[in-house]
Amino acid sequence: MIIIHDEVCTICGRKAVGCQIYGCCGSYVCFEHADKHLQNLRPGEKLDLGACYFLRFPE
């Protein structure tokens, strides 16, 4: 299965590498604007920390 994502960073408009959700607020982010938890994930990985959720898009 091929997943194509074309989301852009909500901060700067560059191609997003993933999304991060803090409680009820979420955003797509590029690598530069990503939280360290998201930056440390490998492509396709996700991390659930209760109220915080991080998803790194597959490359």
Side-chain angles (χ1 to χ4, degrees):
M1 179 172 151
I2 297 174
I3 299 174
I4 298 173
H5 64 89
D6 57 357
E7 290 82 4
V8 294
C9 179
T10 55
I11 299 170
C12 69
R14 288 190 297 240
K15 185 174 173 98
V17 296
C19 63
Q20 49 194 33
I21 301 168
Y22 301 105
C24 63
C25 301
S27 59
Y28 295 113
V29 290
C30 65
F31 190 81
E32 180 181 332
H33 292 115
D35 183 276
K36 293 292 182 196
H37 290 97
L38 182 59
Q39 289 179 348
N40 290 334
L41 293 176
R42 286 181 268 151
E45 284 188 320
K46 55 188 167 187
L47 176 63
D48 185 349
L49 298 175
C52 298
Y53 185 79
F54 304 92
L55 171 65
R56 181 82 182 260
F57 296 138
E59 290 185 346

